[in-house]
Amino acid sequence: MKNYEGANIRNVAVVGHSHSGKTSLVSAMLFTAGSTQRLGRVDEGNTVTDYDDEEISRQMTIGTALGVIEWNKCKINVLDTPGFSMFVHEAEMVMPAVDAALVVVDAVSGVQVVTEKIWGFADKFAMPRAIVCTRMDRERADYDRVMDSLTGTFGRTVVPVQLPIGSEKSFTGVIDLVKMKAYTYEMGGNGKAKVGDIPANMADQAKEAHEKLVELVAEGDDKLMEEFFETGTIGEQHIIEGLHNAIREDKIFPVLFASGLGNIGTDEVLDFIADYMPTAVERGEVKGSATTNNGQPATRKISDSDPLSVYVFKTVSDPFAGRISFFKVYSGVLKNDANVQNFTRNTSERFAHLSTMQGKTAIPVNELHAGDIGAVAKLKETLTGDSLGDKANSIYFPQVQFPEPAITFAIEPKSRADEDKLGNGVHKLMEEDAMLRFFRDAQTKEFLIAGTGQQHIEVVVSKLKKRYNTEVNLKAPKVPYRETIRGKADVQGRHKKQSGGHGQYGDCKIKMEPLPRGGNFEFVNDIFGGAIPKNYIPAVEKGILEAAQRGYLAGFPVVDFRVVLYDGSYHDVDSNELSFKTAGRIAFKKAMEQAKPTLLEPVMNVEITIPDEFAGAIMGDLNSRRGRIQGMDNKGGNTIVKAEVPMSEMLTYGTELTAMTQGRGSFNMEMHHYDIVPAQQQEKIIAAAKAARGEEVEEEE
């Protein structure tokens, strides 16, 4: 593959709701351009961009993949992104690397919940975008209905630049509303159109749509508006230039029509990308988060003449090739075998064997110019979000910020061999998955794995088995309950034991009182006159802490209390540290009996996004989970509910939310505070804990 400069590079993310036809469209574009020898099909598992075993078996995109197309003297880097809600963060992750988005919408289903979410991502990055209505050959595909869905959701600036010729099985081509020509195809052919006149029965519709497009293009440009008023229209070349500028400035969102499986309209989509979508160098300056000597943020022009700067937007952990880093060259020219400074980690990296990726196939290149996208294997320390470049000209590009994972499972290796491999395998997967977390709960001692939803975690478990030969079991995590007190106590803890020779003697008097939530533990030494020698006082505190860690009601740690050690006694011969530690434990247990012990449960901050139609059902469900609604908001046809809900009520919420909202709802949650468990629930938790301890005792015996 030859080298391309930024003016001839187009970087496009193909985004949209799951099963809207993104991968089929990308496959058809690659085939039409001659980048592949056959038209790949998702259901046959032979597409270029869905190559992972999990993607093939589930027939869905799970991770972003790159396809490269040479078309009309341009290099088009196409990033095929996931559309399933649990993996849609991948689409946001690639936004800094592309210069435009191709939003794919199913011509039958119209705008769906993930379409709106991704549109929000594009708004955040001020991303120029075009819409491709795919699957126009499906039963019930309808031009008017899908356009109503688009304009109703995204507004009047969504405007067709094509009209479909026919629909469902009779979909045979498109009318270009700029050139006013008809392009017809053979179903499942090579994707190359026959150009002809507009069918007579569509002439009036095409003329009306052309005039609407011309008027909208002219609106944003004074010169074009003047030409429009003088002549009643705009010349074709001026429409092309005006439309290109309007797309780049987010003033117009054009709509095209195609069929990926039938390979209809894909050459026109490629022409549109090459002719109308922003070039890599049109992005202008890219602002970094570091500052220059004059205190201003460092910037880079998308130019070969600026110092080298590179941003890593994705990492793939391949069991054979190792870590593969996908990057965007923002400025300068990156040459093969270049030594580049990683500013994020303050290390040096060697970019050996530069390549561009065609799915999983690496195509070697000698250099990559500003604006291009490439890949390199086996960088030592570089990970997703890192900024690299010329050592003398540092810049830090802002990293994409993601919400915390929504769901957590306890994860257990099936065997000792699996236990040895688990940590390494999970950490390799975490390198490529920004939404995966793996940690150990200090209280329950369980290893926990967190992600965006149950299917996300199931995919991780499957990858662990297939890639790293590691088998695990998943189960709901234990709720990290805690215990505390609501009253005060004044007790004596005395330990006396005589068994020949030296005995054991420790005696302490303590007062216990509650602390505010989050106070944890305070120990106050109020001993006067040497009632207990100074060297034994830490032993009393240690005994109390050890007993508090074991719990009193149900075996959960006791928190938020203060102990004042105010008196005691000792024996010159029989007292020692162990005796006073035991006395501390005895005193703690006696104090808990008096101090009105109670259970605490973790309460989560939960944010749920659902289509408006499900709001009532979700509110009722949250109330049944002892949730407290904190607020509601409406945004783009969705209701956002904020609530505080006990963790114990949310362990299986991901699956249940999917069922309640037909897969259209999403949520995230994070720990907020601990609160007292209602009495009825306390009894059940204490009984279950005692039963579990009884089983453990029986097993030990």
Side-chain angles (χ1 to χ4, degrees), residues 11-23 25-26 29 78-83 88 91-92 94-95 98-107 110-124 126-136 146-147 149-151 153-154 157-159 161-162 247 250 252-258 269 272-273 277-278:
N11 299 311
V12 180
V14 179
V15 299
H17 195 89
S18 182
H19 301 302
S20 58
K22 299 183 300 298
T23 299
L25 178 66
V26 171
M29 290 161 63
V78 179
L79 288 160
D80 182 12
T81 69
V88 74
E92 184 177 10
V94 305
M95 289 286 177
V98 297
D99 308 300
L102 216 56
V103 182
V104 175
V105 174
D106 187 315
V111 176
Q112 296 168 275
V113 64
V114 172
T115 321
E116 294 185 60
K117 182 176 283 190
I118 290 173
W119 195 271
F121 295 162
D123 279 339
K124 187 165 76 173
M127 183 67 60
R129 68 213 83 147
I131 299 164
V132 181
C133 293
T134 56
R135 310 174 101 178
M136 281 299 297
V146 76
M147 283 306 305
S149 176
L150 288 166
T151 55
T153 307
F154 303 128
T157 52
V158 171
V159 61
V161 293
Q162 294 177 347
I247 293 169
D250 281 351
I252 287 179
F253 304 107
V255 184
L256 300 88
F257 298 86
V269 173
F272 189 88
I273 293 170
M277 298 302 255

Side-chain angles (χ1 to χ4, degrees), residues 249-269:
E249 295 165 9
D250 281 351
K251 292 178 179 177
I252 287 179
F253 304 107
V255 184
L256 300 88
F257 298 86
S259 165
L261 283 178
N263 201 12
I264 295 174
T266 50
D267 61 339
E268 281 293 285
V269 173

